[in-house]
Amino acid sequence: MDFSTQRKKPATESVLPMINVVFLLLIFFLMTTRIAPHAPFAVTPPVTALETSSEAAPILFLSAEGNLFFEGHTGDAALHAVGLRAQKDAPVTLRADAVVEAATVAALLAKLRGLGFRKINLVGQNG
């Protein structure tokens, strides 16, 4: 007769709960992340005293040289594209460089108004 005790293998801890938590965190961060469009050129917005943030789409870019850019379109084609894509009730965001003359920005605002936009957000830096 053999009265020796059988050796039990030590219980290994399951990594399944840890994997579940990692995937849940991954899904959480993917769902809460806002992916902003990449700026086509460097734009330094003018300094403003307001602390409002304009996070609305679509975003129209105006460079220091006066060039317009919107989702791959430049110049008047950018204005046409923003007019087609955007809803007229929703605001359009204008990211103009700080060195652009006020007359250029005013003319662009008039063109946007002519396209039917009632709300236009001009992006600036807090300073």
Side-chain angles (χ1 to χ4, degrees), residues 10-77:
T12 59
E13 293 184 24
S14 176
V15 294
L16 189 60
M18 183 180 68
I19 292 172
N20 288 341
V21 168
V22 168
F23 279 120
L24 286 174
L25 286 173
L26 177 67
I27 291 170
F28 171 77
F29 287 121
L30 287 175
M31 295 299 289
T32 58
T33 301
R34 176 173 160 83
I35 300 173
H38 179 65
F41 39 75
V43 174
T44 306
V47 177
T48 179
L50 298 176
E51 295 195 18
T52 59
S53 174
S54 59
E55 296 294 329
I59 300 174
L60 181 64
F61 293 92
L62 179 62
S63 72
E65 294 81 25
N67 299 326
L68 289 174
F69 183 86
F70 177 72
E71 293 183 351
H73 303 284
T74 57
D76 289 333

